[in-house]
Amino acid sequence: MSAPIELTRVGLSSSRFLTEEPIRPPSPQERPDIFSFAPSRDETVLHAIHPEWRRSLYALLEQPTSSDSAFVVHVLLTSLIVLSAIVTVLETVPAFHQVKTSIWFGLETSLVALFTMEYIARCLAWSSTWSGLLRWMFSWFGIIDILSVVPYYIELLLLQDTSVFFRFSILRTFRLLRVFRPFRSNNTILLTIEVMYVSVRQSQHALLALGFFVVMVLTVFSTLLYFAERGTWDDILETFINTDGDPSQFASIPAAAW
């Protein structure tokens, strides 16, 4: 029969297990911020902002949980972003082409005016130091904010519609990531987001392999579909046509893949 093990020889981790001492989970401040698109400041830095009106403006725009008014502003700005995205999408729907251009222009002008005032206010809030202002202007949200309003003013100056190239207003949708800022102190939401983030990060090699396999299979079958369904070449239309005489939907391998 083996000799009993003395309890004094048990290590710290074993004694913790024997006494079932609960392990304190990390606080939200100790967790890494995986949403580091925009620069953030803690409370100590907030109190260092002068004068008082700039500090209040910063808290109003950048800290939705600091007060009821800041949360209301956050909700209103989020609603405006959603409304802007809806307007941008509806403008491309053929059924809404009958709506007068002046109505779309009025909506776009109103939204751009509000977002411009917000951008100026954020610049003022971050202007306590030049480094802070430049850090915000070249951050993720700063670049998205300026790209979402500048094309409108370019159109007014050049009298040319830039939406035929790209609808930059849809970039405002990325600003919806701000909605996560009030939930930084919520352990459940933070834990859920971090689990998703870690899962994707740990599975990146498997996801890359899966993506490569999907692209390879898609390319092979698109090529087979192209040669099987492309139809006959028409010298007048300079495209492939089907048996009904209409342009083929499989005129190229990318079209067949789509």
Side-chain angles (χ1 to χ4, degrees):
M1 183 176 180
S2 60
I5 301 176
E6 298 180 5
L7 292 179
T8 56
R9 297 174 55 187
V10 180
L12 178 61
S13 59
S14 300
S15 62
R16 175 179 295 179
F17 172 75
L18 292 175
T19 57
E20 296 184 356
E21 179 183 349
I23 301 176
R24 182 182 64 86
S27 63
Q29 291 77 15
E30 295 174 348
R31 292 194 180 102
D33 185 12
I34 61 177
F35 292 100
S36 57
F37 298 115
S40 59
R41 295 184 176 183
D42 53 17
E43 292 295 332
T44 57
V45 179
L46 176 62
H47 292 299
I49 300 177
H50 297 287
E52 180 66 26
W53 66 267
R54 183 179 286 120
R55 184 189 312 161
S56 302
L57 183 61
Y58 177 88
L60 186 68
L61 295 175
E62 298 294 342
Q63 295 184 344
T65 57
S66 60
S67 63
D68 293 337
S69 57
F71 185 77
V72 171
V73 170
H74 178 77
V75 172
L76 291 177
L77 290 176
T78 303
S79 302
L80 287 177
I81 296 171
V82 173
L83 177 61
S84 174
I86 293 176
V87 170
T88 302
V89 172
L90 292 181
E91 279 186 284
T92 63
V93 178
F96 289 92
H97 289 174
Q98 300 177 355
V99 179
K100 294 182 179 180
T101 307
S102 58
I103 296 179
W104 295 118
F105 181 77
L107 287 173
E108 183 68 14
T109 302
S110 302
L111 291 171
V112 169
L114 292 173
F115 287 132
T116 301
M117 290 188 293
E118 181 208 358
Y119 183 82
I120 295 175
R122 290 187 186 275
C123 288
L124 292 175
W126 283 92
S127 61
S128 57
T129 60
W130 283 105
S131 60
L133 177 60
L134 293 176
R135 186 168 65 251
W136 178 80
M137 292 180 65
F138 290 98
S139 65
W140 168 265
F141 286 120
I143 295 175
I144 291 296
D145 289 352
I146 195 66
L147 286 180
S148 62
V149 297
V150 164
Y152 173 84
Y153 297 105
I154 295 178
E155 290 180 1
L156 292 182
L157 293 176
L158 302 180
L159 299 178
Q160 182 179 2
D161 186 10
T162 60
S163 62
V164 296
F165 304 105
F166 182 74
R167 291 186 178 271
F168 288 90
S169 56
I170 200 63
L171 294 176
R172 298 171 192 156
T173 310
F174 288 100
R175 302 180 63 202
L176 289 175
L177 292 174
R178 292 184 187 272
V179 77
F180 290 102
R181 295 176 68 94
F183 302 124
R184 283 188 172 183
S185 58
N186 190 306
N187 292 337
T188 303
I189 295 180
L190 273 178
L191 182 60
T192 303
I193 295 175
E194 289 181 7
V195 167
M196 295 172 58
Y197 170 75
V198 172
S199 300
V200 173
R201 185 174 181 179
Q202 295 295 330
S203 306
Q204 57 182 343
H205 298 293
L207 293 175
L208 288 175
L210 178 62
F212 175 78
F213 179 76
V214 170
V215 172
M216 182 181 63
V217 172
L218 179 63
T219 303
V220 171
F221 280 92
S222 299
T223 304
L224 296 176
L225 185 62
Y226 164 73
F227 284 105
E229 299 290 343
R230 64 180 179 178
T232 57
W233 178 260
D234 188 281
D235 293 329
I236 299 177
L237 298 177
E238 295 184 351
T239 185
F240 290 98
I241 59 175
N242 54 26
T243 55
D244 296 329
D246 299 324
S248 175
Q249 297 181 353
F250 307 96
S252 64
I253 294 179
W258 176 254

